[in-house]
Amino acid sequence: MTRAAIVGIGQTEFSKASGRSELQLAAEAVLAALDDAGLTAADVDGLITFTLDGSDEVGVTRCLGIPDLKYTSRIPQGGAASVASIFHAMSAVMAGVCDVVVVWRAMNERSQFRFGQPIARGNIPAGGGSSFMEWCLPFGAQSPASWEALTAQAYMHRYGATNEDFGLVSVLLRKHAATNPQAWFYGKPITLEDHQASRWIVAPSLRLLDCCQESDGGVAVVIAREDRARDLKQTPVTIHGAVTTLPFNHEIISDYYHGHDLAQLPMAQRVAARLKDLTGMSPPDTQVAMIYDNFTPQILMQLEAYGYCGHGEAKDYIRDGNLELDGSSPLSPNGGHIGEGYIHGMNLITEGVRQARGTAANQVANVKTVFLASGVAGAIIGAG
Amino acid sequence: MADAAILRPEPVFTPDSAFFWEGAARGELLIKQCGACLRYWHPPRPMCPACNATRMVPARMSGFGTVYSWAMPIHPFPHGFSAPPIVVLVDLDEGPRIVSNLVGVDPRNVQNGLRVHVEFEPAQGGRSVPVFRPLGAAP
């Protein structure tokens, strides 16, 4: 069967005020990714983005001069769409529908919108995964941090984890960002004391330094047929397997109704199980973990769900140094969303590709495979 | 805790959820129950996922429940509140879990597992929303 590979990655700078439209950021990122691959707009026959993206397919094709698309689609579930989009691009290629699919995400979520700010009225529930807002906003749960916090506190209560345990993630990712010149927090590591001194965003679970950034920027990834990929500019990074899941009653972030212990992530457990079936590999078998960090508790919960450690053990697993660059499973060597920038999961994918190519700023030694994860979606990729 | 001048945001009404907010306006906590298999479902939906019946009937809850988890949004300050609200997941005695607020309790005394009972507070647009008070706490 034809396999799919990631053949190009592109990004703009990550900032707090891009000074240009989201469409321009999208177009610049797509162009950079095509240049990286050694492809042109005429080679592109598929385009994928998030349901939440503010630019549309017509706009992007108009900017790049893409002559003819065979496939477009938009992926739901907020930032979980990041790794899910890799699954969809892979599927379009493996089905023989497309030869070259570009995934983009671009946003001015600091200068144009404030992604983390409270909202008084959500969208009328419909597509776009906004139905949960109806049940949260009148009660003062009006921001992503507040939705996350109801799950985070359940985790703290269940396993005796503390906010200081969450802070370990923040300190680690800021340490990684401090030596990544592309990171917003380049040269700016923090201590656990800094974390504990940062103000409460939502008590008793999330301080300021438990939250990812609000960033402006654009990222694009090019996925192609593997046989085509071999002739291109970069060493192809093969998608060994990619999966998504949408368990019954799952919601994006206000995931309160799935009927299981909220201190665990059933959807992420399914992702690991399906990847194992598909690739024979489990996430801990890979050399780098690019795991979605919207808020620090999500890292602990996902580590446990993907099988890096037992339930409730993530705080000790982190303390033991496993996520350091020279540890058993280095976490987001670019600094993740917390340290590098928050382009909704996409800048974790580009870092995963750099790690597989061996070209990252904080390169992990002997990388054969990389795990990409955004909650409901996961992928294992590797060069060759 | 309700300040006369500052009211929580008006709930969003949809065809499938209007009953909940209309019930709240009358001081009733309503959850949709399948007319065929009698299971409760929240958030509400127009079809029972267990038996696929479309006769979903609003049923009045006892109003008793247990706090599953909690969170107090402090910064940025939420719209429509004069003090940081205590947001809770409440497991109703009948089974469904809902997002609500805890009132009449010092934040330092909030605990998972707290037994609570429903009451109602005003919202913008002349609406009401269900909130919960610990059993035995003074009104």
Side-chain angles (χ1 to χ4, degrees):
Chain A
M1 189 190 295
T2 303
R3 293 199 300 178
I6 298 174
V7 299
I9 53 174
Q11 66 191 50
T12 66
E13 79 287 1
F14 305 138
S15 75
K16 302 297 179 190
S18 72
R20 51 211 198 272
S21 71
E22 293 187 328
L23 178 57
Q24 185 171 340
L25 294 173
E28 289 179 17
V30 172
L31 186 63
L34 289 172
D35 284 347
D36 181 62
L39 291 166
T40 69
D43 297 309
V44 178
D45 55 9
L47 271 183
I48 296 176
T49 190
F50 297 32
T51 51
L52 291 183
D53 197 85
S55 301
D56 71 31
E57 296 74 7
V58 173
V60 171
T61 55
R62 269 182 187 157
C63 288
L64 274 296
I66 297 171
D68 189 16
L69 290 174
K70 294 173 182 159
Y71 179 85
T72 66
S73 98
R74 287 191 168 240
I75 313 303
Q77 294 272 308
S82 55
V83 180
S85 71
I86 300 300
F87 164 79
H88 284 269
M90 177 193 76
S91 301
V93 166
M94 289 177 68
V97 176
C98 294
D99 289 332
V100 176
V101 179
V102 177
V103 176
W104 93 81
R105 176 78 174 110
M107 53 198 201
N108 284 325
E109 47 129 350
R110 181 62 177 78
S111 66
Q112 190 175 345
F113 315 102
R114 291 294 307 274
F115 213 71
Q117 290 287 317
I119 46 176
R121 286 201 69 135
N123 303 320
I124 297 300
S130 58
S131 60
F132 67 91
M133 291 187 184
E134 173 177 20
W135 304 104
C136 292
L137 302 188
F139 304 102
Q142 299 167 356
S143 66
S146 63
W147 303 322
E148 181 73 31
L150 285 169
T151 301
Q153 198 274 330
Y155 180 87
M156 296 168 86
H157 177 67
R158 178 84 165 77
Y159 296 120
T162 63
N163 174 258
E164 200 170 289
D165 294 326
F166 298 160
L168 297 171
V169 174
S170 188
V171 171
L172 177 94
L173 291 173
R174 289 290 292 271
K175 180 177 163 186
H176 292 175
T179 52
N180 168 17
Q182 300 305 316
W184 177 256
F185 287 118
Y186 176 55
K188 292 179 180 164
I190 59 165
T191 63
L192 197 53
E193 290 69 36
D194 295 331
H195 172 271
Q196 288 295 292
S198 69
R199 68 180 174 226
W200 282 118
I201 300 301
V202 187
S205 52
L206 301 175
R207 295 181 185 275
L208 176 66
L209 293 175
D210 290 301
C211 306
C212 70
Q213 308 175 51
E214 294 172 309
S215 303
D216 286 9
V219 172
V221 175
V222 185
I223 290 96
R225 293 169 57 96
E226 197 180 41
D227 51 354
R228 179 87 189 270
R230 288 196 199 100
D231 303 328
L232 298 178
K233 211 157 98 184
Q234 308 289 345
T235 305
V237 174
T238 301
I239 303 169
H240 294 304
V243 301
T244 68
T245 175
L246 182 55
F248 178 67
N249 260 344
H250 169 76
E251 292 189 7
I252 300 173
I253 182 167
S254 51
D255 194 16
Y256 312 138
Y257 309 106
H258 56 59
H260 304 278
D261 186 345
L262 294 196
Q264 299 180 4
L265 300 176
M267 83 291 194
Q269 291 166 3
R270 284 187 198 200
V271 164
R274 287 183 188 174
L275 275 176
K276 176 81 175 175
D277 288 346
L278 205 57
T279 66
M281 285 181 272
S282 294
D285 298 334
T286 65
Q287 286 77 53
V288 180
M290 301 301 306
I291 300 178
Y292 198 91
D293 57 319
N294 48 353
F295 300 98
T296 53
Q298 271 294 325
I299 291 295
L300 284 83
M301 296 175 73
Q302 286 182 88
L303 285 171
E304 294 168 10
Y306 297 134
Y308 286 90
C309 56
H311 291 297
E313 295 174 3
K315 58 184 191 297
D316 303 313
Y317 182 81
I318 298 168
R319 253 194 201 89
D320 290 344
N322 286 291
L323 305 181
E324 303 281 345
L325 293 178
D326 60 354
S328 62
S329 294
L331 175 72
S332 299
N334 63 338
H337 294 135
I338 285 171
E340 185 181 64
Y342 181 52
I343 313 298
H344 240 165
M346 293 301 291
N347 56 311
L348 304 188
I349 294 171
T350 49
E351 171 68 5
V353 171
R354 285 188 293 264
Q355 290 288 340
R357 289 177 178 174
T359 59
N362 296 322
Q363 182 63 46
V364 172
N366 303 317
V367 174
K368 290 189 174 55
T369 52
V370 175
F371 177 50
L372 308 174
S374 58
V376 298
I380 293 178
I381 61 173
Chain B
M1 68 182 273
D3 182 316
I6 301 177
L7 287 176
R8 59 181 70 226
E10 183 177 357
V12 175
F13 277 52
T14 72
D16 293 319
S17 70
F19 76 94
F20 183 92
W21 304 111
E22 288 162 2
R26 298 191 301 271
E28 297 176 0
L29 178 58
L30 302 179
I31 294 288
K32 277 277 177 82
Q33 183 177 30
C34 175
C37 74
L38 306 182
R39 287 178 175 85
Y40 297 111
W41 295 103
H42 183 81
R45 60 211 72 183
M47 178 180 283
C48 173
C51 73
N52 298 145
T54 52
R55 192 162 59 87
M56 301 295 282
V57 185
R60 186 166 181 177
M61 301 289 102
S62 67
F64 288 98
T66 304
V67 171
Y68 180 81
S69 69
W70 65 279
M72 192 163 71
I74 293 173
H75 182 89
F77 203 76
H79 300 283
F81 291 83
S82 53
I86 301 170
V87 185
V88 284
L89 291 179
V90 173
D91 288 342
L92 301 177
D93 281 6
E94 291 83 356
R97 173 175 294 163
I98 68 171
V99 179
S100 184
N101 291 125
L102 196 60
V103 300
V105 61
D106 187 305
R108 287 168 297 191
N109 296 331
V110 181
Q111 286 181 351
N112 304 66
L114 205 58
R115 290 287 294 160
V116 293
H117 190 260
V118 75
E119 58 187 58
F120 294 86
E121 282 199 355
Q124 291 171 27
R127 308 295 184 181
S128 289
V129 305
V131 298
F132 289 81
R133 183 181 296 271
L135 295 187

